[in-house]
Amino acid sequence: ASWMQNGCEPTLAEFRALSRDMQEEVLEYLRDMLLYAEIEAGGKQYFLVHAGLGNFSPEKPIEDYSLYDLVWQRADYSRCYFPDRILVTGHTPTQTIAENPAPGRIYRGNGHLALDCGAGFPDGSLAAVCLETGQEFYA
């Protein structure tokens, strides 16, 4: 149901317009895609995930999170998830993060780095950050 409200129809239309070989390539890419990544950059540890860690518990192994928890459940920005890693997320426009002092800009706080700056909003932008340097980029 969430996908139906978030781009299902145009995505399926574009997919169906592809050749059968290209459809297989897309499906293979999706099968191989990581749901999360743990990396080190610029001397810091990061946990990268699309949306957040739904039903988070410090005792819960990462492997036990469902696809829904990782792709659709929004992070709780009022809560620090990891004492030793920064949680990098998208999915939640920074305009909607109550703790964000600069709505529409990258949010850094409480162990979070939120990158979705609401490009789909009239006042939003597309954002990126270099994890090695911390430099922010906006378009």
Side-chain angles (χ1 to χ4, degrees):
S2 293
W3 189 43
M4 296 297 286
Q5 297 172 343
N6 289 279
C8 169
E9 289 183 36
T11 301
L12 285 177
E14 291 292 326
F15 182 77
R16 288 182 180 129
L18 298 173
S19 69
R20 181 63 70 188
D21 287 342
M22 186 56 78
Q23 287 178 353
E24 284 300 320
E25 282 188 45
V26 169
L27 291 174
E28 188 63 32
Y29 173 80
L30 292 173
R31 278 187 213 101
D32 292 341
M33 192 165 55
L34 298 174
L35 292 177
Y36 62 88
E38 297 179 79
I39 65 168
E40 180 182 339
K44 297 178 182 176
Q45 298 294 320
Y46 294 93
F47 186 91
L48 290 75
V49 65
H50 173 74
L53 294 170
N55 302 301
F56 178 76
S57 170
E59 297 82 29
K60 186 176 184 178
I62 296 301
E63 304 79 41
D64 288 352
Y65 287 89
S66 70
L67 176 67
Y68 187 79
D69 291 335
L70 301 169
V71 175
W72 292 106
Q73 291 287 10
R74 298 183 192 281
D76 178 354
Y77 296 100
S78 68
R79 177 181 194 183
C80 182
Y81 286 53
F82 305 110
D84 58 345
R85 292 177 277 176
I86 297 169
L87 180 61
V88 180
T89 57
H91 191 66
T92 301
T94 61
Q95 291 90 329
T96 66
I97 299 172
E99 295 81 5
N100 190 0
R105 306 296 284 181
I106 291 172
Y107 170 69
R108 298 171 190 256
N110 211 17
H112 293 272
L113 177 60
L115 300 175
D116 184 337
C117 291
F121 292 0
D123 62 341
S125 62
L126 184 62
V129 65
C130 175
L131 296 179
E132 289 289 336
T133 65
Q135 185 177 3
E136 297 179 7
F137 302 89
Y138 297 89

